[in-house]
Amino acid sequence: MSVLLLVILHMLGCLEQFMLSSGRGAAESCVQKLIMAVTGDETAATGDMPAYQIRTPTTTLPQGVVMAASPGTLHSPQQMAEEATRKRELRLLKNREAAKECRRRKKEYIKCLESRVAVLEVQNKKLIQELETLKDICSSKTD
């Protein structure tokens, strides 16, 4: 039983990180499924979830980039090329940040799934032991 508690505590830590990164709804759903998996009680998973503070993601992307010149004043091909290069660099930077965030969220999701697997393995072992005990009791009664 203590192994199960350790796994649950580990999962809650994982879920807290997942909740902070992907929003409360997804984490609540994951927590509810885990409660159902551990307890086997569907009504236990519908209770109120603890209120977590959701942090807003911090990003290193520039906010509200101001153009050096309005599009009407760009006359020279060099200025137009510089503007196109600046826009491309900004797009690439945003894409890198988005990809980095996506990889981080995927890792958190994988950790949550691994924790769920651990809980379900413990529960499965417990049920197998219970089945063996019941088989022994039935076989001793029929003898």
mmCIF file of all heavy atoms in Angstrom, residues 39-79:
data_model
loop_
_atom_site.group_PDB
_atom_site.id
_atom_site.type_symbol
_atom_site.label_atom_id
_atom_site.label_comp_id
_atom_site.label_asym_id
_atom_site.label_seq_id
_atom_site.Cartn_x
_atom_site.Cartn_y
_atom_site.Cartn_z
ATOM 1 N N THR A 39 -9.017 4.320 -7.154
ATOM 2 C CA THR A 39 -10.086 3.949 -6.233
ATOM 3 C C THR A 39 -11.097 3.013 -6.844
ATOM 4 O O THR A 39 -11.787 2.288 -6.141
ATOM 5 C CB THR A 39 -10.824 5.209 -5.741
ATOM 6 O OG1 THR A 39 -11.443 5.851 -6.850
ATOM 7 C CG2 THR A 39 -9.883 6.158 -5.036
ATOM 8 N N GLY A 40 -11.235 3.052 -8.165
ATOM 9 C CA GLY A 40 -12.261 2.264 -8.815
ATOM 10 C C GLY A 40 -13.647 2.858 -8.633
ATOM 11 O O GLY A 40 -14.641 2.288 -9.021
ATOM 12 N N ASP A 41 -13.712 4.027 -8.031
ATOM 13 C CA ASP A 41 -14.980 4.684 -7.726
ATOM 14 C C ASP A 41 -15.155 5.868 -8.657
ATOM 15 O O ASP A 41 -14.401 6.829 -8.603
ATOM 16 C CB ASP A 41 -14.975 5.149 -6.267
ATOM 17 C CG ASP A 41 -16.290 5.792 -5.851
ATOM 18 O OD1 ASP A 41 -17.264 5.675 -6.613
ATOM 19 O OD2 ASP A 41 -16.324 6.397 -4.773
ATOM 20 N N GLU A 42 -16.165 5.815 -9.515
ATOM 21 C CA GLU A 42 -16.372 6.898 -10.470
ATOM 22 C C GLU A 42 -16.858 8.171 -9.789
ATOM 23 O O GLU A 42 -16.635 9.268 -10.266
ATOM 24 C CB GLU A 42 -17.361 6.477 -11.551
ATOM 25 C CG GLU A 42 -16.806 5.402 -12.447
ATOM 26 C CD GLU A 42 -17.765 5.015 -13.547
ATOM 27 O OE1 GLU A 42 -18.716 5.755 -13.792
ATOM 28 O OE2 GLU A 42 -17.539 3.963 -14.158
ATOM 29 N N THR A 43 -17.529 8.032 -8.651
ATOM 30 C CA THR A 43 -18.048 9.230 -7.976
ATOM 31 C C THR A 43 -16.947 9.975 -7.253
ATOM 32 O O THR A 43 -17.064 11.168 -7.013
ATOM 33 C CB THR A 43 -19.146 8.844 -6.968
ATOM 34 O OG1 THR A 43 -18.589 7.951 -5.996
ATOM 35 C CG2 THR A 43 -20.319 8.194 -7.666
ATOM 36 N N ALA A 44 -15.850 9.301 -6.924
ATOM 37 C CA ALA A 44 -14.763 9.976 -6.212
ATOM 38 C C ALA A 44 -14.061 10.977 -7.100
ATOM 39 O O ALA A 44 -13.477 11.947 -6.631
ATOM 40 C CB ALA A 44 -13.743 8.949 -5.701
ATOM 41 N N ALA A 45 -14.108 10.747 -8.393
ATOM 42 C CA ALA A 45 -13.390 11.617 -9.322
ATOM 43 C C ALA A 45 -14.146 12.895 -9.645
ATOM 44 O O ALA A 45 -13.628 13.775 -10.292
ATOM 45 C CB ALA A 45 -13.100 10.871 -10.617
ATOM 46 N N THR A 46 -15.399 13.002 -9.199
ATOM 47 C CA THR A 46 -16.169 14.189 -9.553
ATOM 48 C C THR A 46 -16.114 15.258 -8.480
ATOM 49 O O THR A 46 -16.753 16.290 -8.617
ATOM 50 C CB THR A 46 -17.645 13.807 -9.791
ATOM 51 O OG1 THR A 46 -18.152 13.224 -8.583
ATOM 52 C CG2 THR A 46 -17.771 12.855 -10.948
ATOM 53 N N GLY A 47 -15.359 15.043 -7.421
ATOM 54 C CA GLY A 47 -15.257 16.038 -6.356
ATOM 55 C C GLY A 47 -14.504 17.260 -6.820
ATOM 56 O O GLY A 47 -13.903 17.295 -7.879
ATOM 57 N N ASP A 48 -14.527 18.295 -6.016
ATOM 58 C CA ASP A 48 -13.845 19.530 -6.386
ATOM 59 C C ASP A 48 -12.344 19.335 -6.385
ATOM 60 O O ASP A 48 -11.782 18.736 -5.472
ATOM 61 C CB ASP A 48 -14.199 20.656 -5.398
ATOM 62 C CG ASP A 48 -15.642 21.105 -5.555
ATOM 63 O OD1 ASP A 48 -16.191 20.884 -6.652
ATOM 64 O OD2 ASP A 48 -16.199 21.659 -4.596
ATOM 65 N N MET A 49 -11.728 19.844 -7.404
ATOM 66 C CA MET A 49 -10.279 19.807 -7.493
ATOM 67 C C MET A 49 -9.711 20.967 -6.681
ATOM 68 O O MET A 49 -10.341 22.013 -6.573
ATOM 69 C CB MET A 49 -9.830 19.981 -8.960
ATOM 70 C CG MET A 49 -10.189 18.823 -9.835
ATOM 71 S SD MET A 49 -9.175 17.405 -9.470
ATOM 72 C CE MET A 49 -10.399 16.273 -8.878
ATOM 73 N N PRO A 50 -8.536 20.819 -6.115
ATOM 74 C CA PRO A 50 -7.935 21.951 -5.407
ATOM 75 C C PRO A 50 -7.655 23.088 -6.365
ATOM 76 O O PRO A 50 -7.353 22.855 -7.530
ATOM 77 C CB PRO A 50 -6.629 21.373 -4.850
ATOM 78 C CG PRO A 50 -6.369 20.160 -5.653
ATOM 79 C CD PRO A 50 -7.705 19.646 -6.135
ATOM 80 N N ALA A 51 -7.774 24.276 -5.872
ATOM 81 C CA ALA A 51 -7.567 25.454 -6.727
ATOM 82 C C ALA A 51 -6.078 25.715 -6.854
ATOM 83 O O ALA A 51 -5.414 26.041 -5.884
ATOM 84 C CB ALA A 51 -8.274 26.660 -6.122
ATOM 85 N N TYR A 52 -5.561 25.556 -8.024
ATOM 86 C CA TYR A 52 -4.163 25.838 -8.297
ATOM 87 C C TYR A 52 -4.060 27.189 -8.973
ATOM 88 O O TYR A 52 -4.946 27.599 -9.703
ATOM 89 C CB TYR A 52 -3.556 24.779 -9.230
ATOM 90 C CG TYR A 52 -3.373 23.445 -8.590
ATOM 91 C CD1 TYR A 52 -4.316 22.447 -8.725
ATOM 92 C CD2 TYR A 52 -2.248 23.187 -7.822
ATOM 93 C CE1 TYR A 52 -4.146 21.221 -8.135
ATOM 94 C CE2 TYR A 52 -2.065 21.962 -7.233
ATOM 95 C CZ TYR A 52 -3.012 20.974 -7.391
ATOM 96 O OH TYR A 52 -2.830 19.767 -6.806
ATOM 97 N N GLN A 53 -2.961 27.859 -8.734
ATOM 98 C CA GLN A 53 -2.725 29.102 -9.439
ATOM 99 C C GLN A 53 -2.048 28.763 -10.752
ATOM 100 O O GLN A 53 -1.039 28.074 -10.778
ATOM 101 C CB GLN A 53 -1.827 30.029 -8.622
ATOM 102 C CG GLN A 53 -2.495 30.562 -7.385
ATOM 103 C CD GLN A 53 -1.562 31.494 -6.640
ATOM 104 O OE1 GLN A 53 -0.383 31.586 -6.954
ATOM 105 N NE2 GLN A 53 -2.095 32.176 -5.658
ATOM 106 N N ILE A 54 -2.613 29.249 -11.809
ATOM 107 C CA ILE A 54 -2.048 28.979 -13.125
ATOM 108 C C ILE A 54 -1.163 30.147 -13.509
ATOM 109 O O ILE A 54 -1.607 31.286 -13.557
ATOM 110 C CB ILE A 54 -3.172 28.776 -14.157
ATOM 111 C CG1 ILE A 54 -4.024 27.577 -13.746
ATOM 112 C CG2 ILE A 54 -2.594 28.595 -15.547
ATOM 113 C CD1 ILE A 54 -5.232 27.373 -14.624
ATOM 114 N N ARG A 55 0.086 29.842 -13.744
ATOM 115 C CA ARG A 55 1.036 30.877 -14.136
ATOM 116 C C ARG A 55 0.894 31.158 -15.617
ATOM 117 O O ARG A 55 0.678 30.259 -16.412
ATOM 118 C CB ARG A 55 2.467 30.430 -13.863
ATOM 119 C CG ARG A 55 2.766 30.227 -12.420
ATOM 120 C CD ARG A 55 4.230 29.857 -12.278
ATOM 121 N NE ARG A 55 4.408 29.109 -11.049
ATOM 122 C CZ ARG A 55 5.380 28.267 -10.822
ATOM 123 N NH1 ARG A 55 6.278 28.055 -11.744
ATOM 124 N NH2 ARG A 55 5.470 27.636 -9.694
ATOM 125 N N THR A 56 1.063 32.396 -15.972
ATOM 126 C CA THR A 56 1.074 32.734 -17.387
ATOM 127 C C THR A 56 2.455 32.421 -17.929
ATOM 128 O O THR A 56 3.459 32.682 -17.272
ATOM 129 C CB THR A 56 0.756 34.227 -17.616
ATOM 130 O OG1 THR A 56 1.695 35.008 -16.880
ATOM 131 C CG2 THR A 56 -0.655 34.548 -17.179
ATOM 132 N N PRO A 57 2.523 31.822 -19.101
ATOM 133 C CA PRO A 57 3.826 31.455 -19.627
ATOM 134 C C PRO A 57 4.661 32.698 -19.930
ATOM 135 O O PRO A 57 4.167 33.684 -20.452
ATOM 136 C CB PRO A 57 3.498 30.691 -20.913
ATOM 137 C CG PRO A 57 2.104 31.051 -21.249
ATOM 138 C CD PRO A 57 1.433 31.475 -19.976
ATOM 139 N N THR A 58 5.928 32.595 -19.575
ATOM 140 C CA THR A 58 6.838 33.693 -19.878
ATOM 141 C C THR A 58 7.546 33.360 -21.177
ATOM 142 O O THR A 58 7.909 32.227 -21.422
ATOM 143 C CB THR A 58 7.870 33.882 -18.755
ATOM 144 O OG1 THR A 58 8.574 32.650 -18.598
ATOM 145 C CG2 THR A 58 7.186 34.263 -17.450
ATOM 146 N N THR A 59 7.725 34.343 -21.986
ATOM 147 C CA THR A 59 8.370 34.117 -23.272
ATOM 148 C C THR A 59 9.420 35.188 -23.508
ATOM 149 O O THR A 59 9.336 36.285 -22.968
ATOM 150 C CB THR A 59 7.331 34.126 -24.422
ATOM 151 O OG1 THR A 59 8.032 33.942 -25.642
ATOM 152 C CG2 THR A 59 6.532 35.396 -24.460
ATOM 153 N N THR A 60 10.401 34.827 -24.294
ATOM 154 C CA THR A 60 11.458 35.780 -24.608
ATOM 155 C C THR A 60 11.180 36.489 -25.921
ATOM 156 O O THR A 60 12.022 37.215 -26.418
ATOM 157 C CB THR A 60 12.816 35.056 -24.714
ATOM 158 O OG1 THR A 60 12.708 34.045 -25.710
ATOM 159 C CG2 THR A 60 13.207 34.449 -23.381
ATOM 160 N N LEU A 61 10.004 36.256 -26.486
ATOM 161 C CA LEU A 61 9.663 36.899 -27.741
ATOM 162 C C LEU A 61 9.373 38.377 -27.520
ATOM 163 O O LEU A 61 8.793 38.757 -26.513
ATOM 164 C CB LEU A 61 8.421 36.252 -28.357
ATOM 165 C CG LEU A 61 8.571 34.813 -28.801
ATOM 166 C CD1 LEU A 61 7.246 34.287 -29.305
ATOM 167 C CD2 LEU A 61 9.624 34.702 -29.875
ATOM 168 N N PRO A 62 9.769 39.212 -28.452
ATOM 169 C CA PRO A 62 9.470 40.645 -28.307
ATOM 170 C C PRO A 62 7.979 40.883 -28.419
ATOM 171 O O PRO A 62 7.310 40.310 -29.273
ATOM 172 C CB PRO A 62 10.230 41.297 -29.456
ATOM 173 C CG PRO A 62 10.527 40.195 -30.411
ATOM 174 C CD PRO A 62 10.539 38.918 -29.644
ATOM 175 N N GLN A 63 7.450 41.706 -27.544
ATOM 176 C CA GLN A 63 6.023 42.025 -27.540
ATOM 177 C C GLN A 63 5.803 43.319 -28.292
ATOM 178 O O GLN A 63 6.422 44.321 -27.998
ATOM 179 C CB GLN A 63 5.508 42.162 -26.102
ATOM 180 C CG GLN A 63 5.640 40.910 -25.270
ATOM 181 C CD GLN A 63 4.728 39.803 -25.758
ATOM 182 O OE1 GLN A 63 3.609 40.077 -26.184
ATOM 183 N NE2 GLN A 63 5.206 38.582 -25.697
ATOM 184 N N GLY A 64 4.904 43.316 -29.240
ATOM 185 C CA GLY A 64 4.543 44.529 -29.968
ATOM 186 C C GLY A 64 5.698 45.147 -30.730
ATOM 187 O O GLY A 64 6.094 46.275 -30.477
ATOM 188 N N VAL A 65 6.258 44.409 -31.654
ATOM 189 C CA VAL A 65 7.373 44.925 -32.438
ATOM 190 C C VAL A 65 6.867 46.059 -33.321
ATOM 191 O O VAL A 65 5.857 45.939 -33.997
ATOM 192 C CB VAL A 65 7.990 43.802 -33.300
ATOM 193 C CG1 VAL A 65 9.067 44.345 -34.201
ATOM 194 C CG2 VAL A 65 8.525 42.711 -32.412
ATOM 195 N N VAL A 66 7.574 47.162 -33.289
ATOM 196 C CA VAL A 66 7.195 48.328 -34.087
ATOM 197 C C VAL A 66 8.035 48.327 -35.353
ATOM 198 O O VAL A 66 9.251 48.137 -35.313
ATOM 199 C CB VAL A 66 7.430 49.636 -33.297
ATOM 200 C CG1 VAL A 66 7.071 50.842 -34.139
ATOM 201 C CG2 VAL A 66 6.635 49.619 -32.014
ATOM 202 N N MET A 67 7.378 48.537 -36.481
ATOM 203 C CA MET A 67 8.098 48.572 -37.749
ATOM 204 C C MET A 67 8.928 49.853 -37.827
ATOM 205 O O MET A 67 8.512 50.908 -37.356
ATOM 206 C CB MET A 67 7.116 48.520 -38.919
ATOM 207 C CG MET A 67 6.410 47.181 -39.038
ATOM 208 S SD MET A 67 5.239 47.118 -40.389
ATOM 209 C CE MET A 67 6.290 47.398 -41.770
ATOM 210 N N ALA A 68 10.089 49.745 -38.438
ATOM 211 C CA ALA A 68 10.972 50.900 -38.571
ATOM 212 C C ALA A 68 10.355 51.961 -39.472
ATOM 213 O O ALA A 68 10.550 53.147 -39.274
ATOM 214 C CB ALA A 68 12.328 50.467 -39.109
ATOM 215 N N ALA A 69 9.632 51.531 -40.458
ATOM 216 C CA ALA A 69 8.989 52.472 -41.380
ATOM 217 C C ALA A 69 7.675 51.867 -41.831
ATOM 218 O O ALA A 69 7.521 50.657 -41.877
ATOM 219 C CB ALA A 69 9.897 52.736 -42.569
ATOM 220 N N SER A 70 6.727 52.697 -42.147
ATOM 221 C CA SER A 70 5.457 52.182 -42.619
ATOM 222 C C SER A 70 5.650 51.645 -44.035
ATOM 223 O O SER A 70 6.559 52.071 -44.747
ATOM 224 C CB SER A 70 4.408 53.286 -42.596
ATOM 225 O OG SER A 70 4.742 54.289 -43.529
ATOM 226 N N PRO A 71 4.804 50.696 -44.464
ATOM 227 C CA PRO A 71 5.005 50.090 -45.790
ATOM 228 C C PRO A 71 4.962 51.105 -46.926
ATOM 229 O O PRO A 71 5.596 50.904 -47.956
ATOM 230 C CB PRO A 71 3.836 49.103 -45.908
ATOM 231 C CG PRO A 71 3.407 48.831 -44.510
ATOM 232 C CD PRO A 71 3.744 50.052 -43.719
ATOM 233 N N GLY A 72 4.271 52.216 -46.751
ATOM 234 C CA GLY A 72 4.200 53.210 -47.818
ATOM 235 C C GLY A 72 5.497 53.966 -48.023
ATOM 236 O O GLY A 72 5.747 54.491 -49.099
ATOM 237 N N THR A 73 6.350 54.036 -47.017
ATOM 238 C CA THR A 73 7.591 54.805 -47.136
ATOM 239 C C THR A 73 8.768 53.960 -47.583
ATOM 240 O O THR A 73 9.856 54.478 -47.764
ATOM 241 C CB THR A 73 7.932 55.480 -45.801
ATOM 242 O OG1 THR A 73 8.110 54.470 -44.817
ATOM 243 C CG2 THR A 73 6.855 56.449 -45.386
ATOM 244 N N LEU A 74 8.590 52.637 -47.721
ATOM 245 C CA LEU A 74 9.680 51.780 -48.176
ATOM 246 C C LEU A 74 9.751 51.864 -49.702
ATOM 247 O O LEU A 74 8.878 51.381 -50.405
ATOM 248 C CB LEU A 74 9.447 50.324 -47.751
ATOM 249 C CG LEU A 74 9.517 50.025 -46.265
ATOM 250 C CD1 LEU A 74 9.193 48.558 -46.020
ATOM 251 C CD2 LEU A 74 10.891 50.351 -45.709
ATOM 252 N N HIS A 75 10.786 52.512 -50.175
ATOM 253 C CA HIS A 75 10.914 52.675 -51.630
ATOM 254 C C HIS A 75 12.082 51.883 -52.179
ATOM 255 O O HIS A 75 11.969 51.293 -53.244
ATOM 256 C CB HIS A 75 11.076 54.154 -52.003
ATOM 257 C CG HIS A 75 9.878 54.964 -51.624
ATOM 258 N ND1 HIS A 75 8.661 54.835 -52.243
ATOM 259 C CD2 HIS A 75 9.712 55.920 -50.678
ATOM 260 C CE1 HIS A 75 7.793 55.667 -51.706
ATOM 261 N NE2 HIS A 75 8.415 56.346 -50.756
ATOM 262 N N SER A 76 13.156 51.840 -51.458
ATOM 263 C CA SER A 76 14.340 51.198 -52.011
ATOM 264 C C SER A 76 14.236 49.681 -51.852
ATOM 265 O O SER A 76 13.704 49.178 -50.869
ATOM 266 C CB SER A 76 15.592 51.740 -51.330
ATOM 267 O OG SER A 76 16.078 50.864 -50.365
ATOM 268 N N PRO A 77 14.775 48.967 -52.817
ATOM 269 C CA PRO A 77 14.772 47.497 -52.723
ATOM 270 C C PRO A 77 15.565 47.009 -51.509
ATOM 271 O O PRO A 77 15.232 45.986 -50.936
ATOM 272 C CB PRO A 77 15.439 47.049 -54.020
ATOM 273 C CG PRO A 77 15.314 48.193 -54.953
ATOM 274 C CD PRO A 77 15.256 49.422 -54.115
ATOM 275 N N GLN A 78 16.569 47.747 -51.111
ATOM 276 C CA GLN A 78 17.365 47.363 -49.950
ATOM 277 C C GLN A 78 16.512 47.432 -48.683
ATOM 278 O O GLN A 78 16.565 46.528 -47.847
ATOM 279 C CB GLN A 78 18.590 48.268 -49.809
ATOM 280 C CG GLN A 78 19.479 47.858 -48.650
ATOM 281 C CD GLN A 78 20.688 48.773 -48.485
ATOM 282 O OE1 GLN A 78 20.816 49.759 -49.201
ATOM 283 N NE2 GLN A 78 21.547 48.430 -47.560
ATOM 284 N N GLN A 79 15.717 48.491 -48.527
ATOM 285 C CA GLN A 79 14.849 48.610 -47.360
ATOM 286 C C GLN A 79 13.801 47.498 -47.351
ATOM 287 O O GLN A 79 13.491 46.937 -46.298
ATOM 288 C CB GLN A 79 14.151 49.971 -47.346
ATOM 289 C CG GLN A 79 15.065 51.126 -46.992
ATOM 290 C CD GLN A 79 14.334 52.453 -47.092
ATOM 291 O OE1 GLN A 79 13.430 52.630 -47.904
ATOM 292 N NE2 GLN A 79 14.749 53.396 -46.248
#
